[in-house]
Each structure stands twice: as C-alpha cells, then as structure tokens.
C-alpha cells in the first residue's frame, strides 16, 4: 500500500463550510510559502462558492485571486470544485461557455478540476470533462454520495465505471453531508478498486462526527487520496482535521510523510485567521458541534443553516423539526436527488413551503417544477405519476441533456459586457454572476481613474466584513 495522499481544503471548503467563504486573499498569501513546502498532494484553492463570495462580499476579482495563489504556490497542485454544466453558478450554461471556463481555469493556474453534478447525471458532466482534458487539466469526476432506495453501492460503482469511460482520471466519492458510514466506505472503496483503474479520492465532512472513521476505513480499503482541513477550520461541518489523520497514520504503511511540526506552524497561523472570522461573526460554535440530524434527515450543514434562516424570516422557527421531517418526503417525491447545490436549496425551500402553508405543494417554486420537468437533468428515479401530475400537471418534460437546448452564448455575452470587460475572464465573470459583475467592474474602473468609489454604493453588492 502506497502512502496516503492528503488534499488540504483550508483555502476553500474549510472556510466555505465553517465561515461563509469569507477568508480573503490577503489572509492566504502570507502563509502560502509554508503551505507550499508541507508535501500535500494538492491544495483546494478555488471554485465552489469562492467565485461568488469574492465578488459579493470581498470585492476581489476571483481570477486575480487564482493568479496570485498560483504564483505564491509554485510547487503545489491547485484543485478546484466545478458544478458540471452549472460551472460555479446555479443554472446550466451553453457548451461554449463551459469550454472557455475550463480553458481559462487551467490557463490561470488550476491543475485538477473536480467535476460533479447534483443529480449524478453524467450528461451534465460530459462537456466539462472533455474540455478539462482538452485544455490540459486533470479530470477528477465526482459521484455525489447520498442514501436512498436507489443509491446502493452497485449504483455508485456503475456510475464510477461510466465516468472513467467518459475520461475521468481520478474518481472522487463526494460525501457532502457526512452520510457515508465507515464500513460502507470500506465496502464502496473495495468494490471501486475492483472496477476502476484510476486513483480514488474521498471527500467527506465531520458534520455527523463520523468523518475520521470514514476516512480511516476508506484508507484501509485502498483509497489513494483523502481531503482534510487544518484544525482551526477543521471538523464540524468542515473536513476532518489534517493533524489528527497525519498523526494517526504516522509510522504505519499508510504514513502520509507529512511532518506534524511543519503542520503546527500552519495551525498557529490559521488560528489567528479563525479568530478574525469569529470576531466578525462568520464563525459560530454551532458549526463545530456534532449534528445527528445529518444522519437522520440527510441535511448537510449548510442546508440546515439555510432552513433555520428561512423559518426565522417567516416567524416560524418553531417548525424546524416539522421541516426536517418533511425534507426526506419531498426528496422522495422528487425522485431522490442528492442534497447538494442546487438540489439541496430546491428541496429545502419546498419543504419549508409545505410546512408553513399547512398543505403539501399548495405553493410550488419554479425550481421544484423545473426539477420535475427535467431542467436540471435526469432524476435518479422516476417520480410517481401522481406527484408529477400534482406539481406540474401536463407540462412537457425534457428527456434530452438540458444543455442541448441552450444556444452558444459567448459572443452575445462579449457584446453585452463590452463596455466593462477587459479580458475573456471578465466575460465569464459576467456570464456567471451578471448582477454582481457589473457593479464590480464599475468599482474597478472608478478605482483606476481615481474616482470616489462610493458613487457606486447603491448598486454595490459588497458588504463590509
């Protein structure tokens, strides 16, 4: 058994999971030299919600963040998370936009792109897989792990085999809600090792308190790479702590080769960052607690906080337990989508509406209808005809790959943003988040010309941090 490789998530998922993605590039750069020398397999540094957060809250150009990290981490592989045909947004984009985004991600410094689809529909991953390989990136195709009557070990093994045939160079088990139990992980990894030839990478969290055990059993079954987060932003809704796993494996056949003393220097630094995030109200002790609701209701940590927020806004905080009980029912009605962006938001919001109105599907969101009509892709299992009839009536259902219905968009986008775009990267920023991009470009232009940026305050989405 070769040494286990570690991907460190402190620069992306750790602070996304625990602190609303509020770590700034200025807090990352001073420690990059030490991060670069530890001996990690890779650093997850971009993608996920970082693109949105840079524009919305931090007044940063996400592309410039990537370029700075690439320069500061010359010896490290940089990895990102990509939502397949959704890229880093919340809808499907045309194939030409997906292709250009993958091209520029690699060009600006990304080595490995982890590609997933919320419904595990390989059709929604195909273009990103092909484009990443075409432009010289490494494809890590992810299976979004969940549990249901259809999501068996056989289901995930067959999906992994299909993704390898599509061009995956690494297979990731993406356990976003910490639902993968240790002995199931052992079985799944063992079966995958028999059926696929590429390396296996496990991504889990510690929401339900089982992440460390899940990592260990997966490693014993032959998992090649695991995700961890340095302890100041590790555990809880984040990944299991890096230091704990490195210490556990030291001196064994799985020894990571990483020095605990070197990790401690990083820990000391990131403790100060975590203190700042906590002082500014972005890091709560709540995210560090073990939450068994994750196992009972399959609700990821981020989705749980969204549900609490929605109920609070409607003066219905006392209905949380009812909503948590409704979530699995809605999920079953919709064909058992895994609860990950954007399906987690869709299922959660519909569960809130069902409980608050006192009648199931009395009010139905357009996103819930879209999921049943096939706008997001093929559902894991066909919903019951009665549910389809109740929610969408006789509306036409999409059976093709949803992006096949989208005409090429790049040329139109270039024209729409010509006044402000200074690069192809700007065009893609506008494609993903038009309402955030325009105010950002205005502020950038004003700053370059020495104009008082506050003239753009009204349409600025940036909040003080």
């Amino acid at each position: 058994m070769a040494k286990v490789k570690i991907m460190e998530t402190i620069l992306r998922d750790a602070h996304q999971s625990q602190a609303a993605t509020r770590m700034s590039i200025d807090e990352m750069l001073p420690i990059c030299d030490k991060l670069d020398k530890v001996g990690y397999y890779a650093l997850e540094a971009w993608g996920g919600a970082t693109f949105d957060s840079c524009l919305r809250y931090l007044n940063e150009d996400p592309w410039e963040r990537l370029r700075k990290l690439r320069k500061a981490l010359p010896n490290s592989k940089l990895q990102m998370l990509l939502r397949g045909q959704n890229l880093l947004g919340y809808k499907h984009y045309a194939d030409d936009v997906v292709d250009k985004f993958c091209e520029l991600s690699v060009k600006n410094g990304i080595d490995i792109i982890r590609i997933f689809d919320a419904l595990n529909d390989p059709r929604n991953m195909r273009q990103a897989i092909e484009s990443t390989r075409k432009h010289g990136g490494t494809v890590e195709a992810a299976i979004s792990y969940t549990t249901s009557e259809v999501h068996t070990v056989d289901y995930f093994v067959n999906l992994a085999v299909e993704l390898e045939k599509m061009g995956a160079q690494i297979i990731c088990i993406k356990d976003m809600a910490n639902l993968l139990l240790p002995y199931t992980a052992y079985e799944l990894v063992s079966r995958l090792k028999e059926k696929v030839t590429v390396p296996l990478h496990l991504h889990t969290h510690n929401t339900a308190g089982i992440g460390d055990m899940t990592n260990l059993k997966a490693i014993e079954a032959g998992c090649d790479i695991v995700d961890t987060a340095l302890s100041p932003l590790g555990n809880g809704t984040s990944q299991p702590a890096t230091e704990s796993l490195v210490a556990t494996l030291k001196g064994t056949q799985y020894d990571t080769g990483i020095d605990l003393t070197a990790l401690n220097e990083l820990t000391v630094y990131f403790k100060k960052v975590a203190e700042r995030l906590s002082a500014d109200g972005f890091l709560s002790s709540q995210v560090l607690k073990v939450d068994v609701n994750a196992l009972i209701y399959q609700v990821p940590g981020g989705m749980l906080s969204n549900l609490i927020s929605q109920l609070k806004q409607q003066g219905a905080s006392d209905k949380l337990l009812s909503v948590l009980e409704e979530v699995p029912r809605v999920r079953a009605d919709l064909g058992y989508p895994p609860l990950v962006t954007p399906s987690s938001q869709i299922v959660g919001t519909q569960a809130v509406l069902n409980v608050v109105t006192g009648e199931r599907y009395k009010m139905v969101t357009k996103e819930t209808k879209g999921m049943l009509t096939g706008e997001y892709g093929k559902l894991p299992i066909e919903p019951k005809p009665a549910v389809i009839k109740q929610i969408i009536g006789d509306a036409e259902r999409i059976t093709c790959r949803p992006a096949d219905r989208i005409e090429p968009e790049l040329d139109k986008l270039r024209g729409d943003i010509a006044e402000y775009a200074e690069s192809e990267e700007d065009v893609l920023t506008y494609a993903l988040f038009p309402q955030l991009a325009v105010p950002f470009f205005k502020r950038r232009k004003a700053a370059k010309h020495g104009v008082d940026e506050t003239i753009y305050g009204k349409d600025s989405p940036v909040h003080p941090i």
Side-chain angles (χ1 to χ4, degrees), residues 48 51-52 55-56 82-102 117 123-128 131 341-342 375-377 401-410 413 426-437:
F51 202 99
D52 183 334
L55 294 168
R56 191 183 301 272
L82 191 79
R83 302 178 189 128
Q85 204 74 25
N86 288 9
L87 296 176
L88 302 179
Y90 304 99
K91 66 171 188 175
H92 287 315
Y93 297 92
D95 287 340
D96 61 341
V97 175
V98 174
D99 184 71
K100 181 59 70 172
F101 192 92
C102 293
D117 177 66
R123 300 175 306 170
N124 293 338
M125 300 166 70
R126 188 186 71 214
Q127 184 62 55
S131 295
T341 304
E375 288 177 20
Y376 295 91
R401 182 183 75 119
D404 287 341
R405 297 156 53 96
I406 306 174
E407 294 294 323
E409 297 175 296
L410 260 182
L413 290 164
D426 284 351
V427 175
L428 290 171
T429 299
Y430 174 73
L432 266 60
F433 297 104
Q435 293 178 320
L436 301 178

Side-chain angles (χ1 to χ4, degrees), residues 199-233:
L200 298 181
H201 190 160
L202 175 60
H203 169 90
T204 191
H205 292 247
N206 228 348
T207 317
I210 57 171
D212 294 285
M213 294 180 282
T214 296
N215 272 343
L216 192 57
K217 293 306 292 183
I219 288 166
E220 289 176 351
C223 189
D224 303 280
I225 315 158
V226 294
D227 287 359
T228 60
L230 285 161
S231 58
L233 290 169

Side-chain angles (χ1 to χ4, degrees), residues 22 27 129 331 361 367 375:
R22 292 303 208 285
E27 291 172 308
I129 288 172
R331 184 168 169 257
Y361 307 115
E367 289 81 11
E375 288 177 20

Side-chain angles (χ1 to χ4, degrees), residues 263-274:
L263 285 184
N264 190 53
E265 290 186 61
L266 303 176
T267 303
V268 169
Y269 178 85
F270 281 110
K271 274 183 180 175
K272 294 175 183 173
V273 176

Side-chain angles (χ1 to χ4, degrees), residues 90-235:
Y90 304 99
K91 66 171 188 175
H92 287 315
Y93 297 92
D95 287 340
D96 61 341
V97 175
V98 174
D99 184 71
K100 181 59 70 172
F101 192 92
C102 293
E103 176 189 348
L104 294 184
S105 296
V106 173
K107 181 182 176 184
N108 281 279
I110 290 296
D111 299 290
I112 307 159
I113 302 183
R114 176 180 288 169
I115 301 164
F116 79 96
D117 177 66
L119 300 183
N120 283 323
D121 186 342
R123 300 175 306 170
N124 293 338
M125 300 166 70
R126 188 186 71 214
Q127 184 62 55
I129 288 172
E130 291 175 357
S131 295
T132 298
R133 292 199 66 153
K134 179 174 79 173
H135 298 297
T138 297
V139 171
E140 179 171 301
I143 55 180
S144 296
Y145 184 82
T146 188
T147 57
S148 77
E149 63 182 55
V150 67
H151 292 100
T152 61
V153 169
D154 284 342
Y155 169 93
F156 290 117
V157 169
N158 291 336
L159 179 59
V161 169
E162 185 174 356
L163 292 173
E164 183 178 26
K165 287 177 182 174
M166 287 177 68
Q169 293 155 292
I170 304 167
I171 294 291
C172 172
I173 304 165
K174 179 176 166 57
D175 177 28
M176 56 280 174
N178 196 202
L179 298 176
L180 180 59
L181 297 168
Y183 285 98
T184 310
Y186 188 91
E187 181 187 0
L188 177 56
V189 171
S190 299
R191 291 277 307 280
L192 286 170
K193 277 289 182 182
E194 294 171 0
K195 294 292 185 179
V196 299
T197 60
V198 298
L200 298 181
H201 190 160
L202 175 60
H203 169 90
T204 191
H205 292 247
N206 228 348
T207 317
I210 57 171
D212 294 285
M213 294 180 282
T214 296
N215 272 343
L216 192 57
K217 293 306 292 183
I219 288 166
E220 289 176 351
C223 189
D224 303 280
I225 315 158
V226 294
D227 287 359
T228 60
L230 285 161
S231 58
L233 290 169
N235 292 320

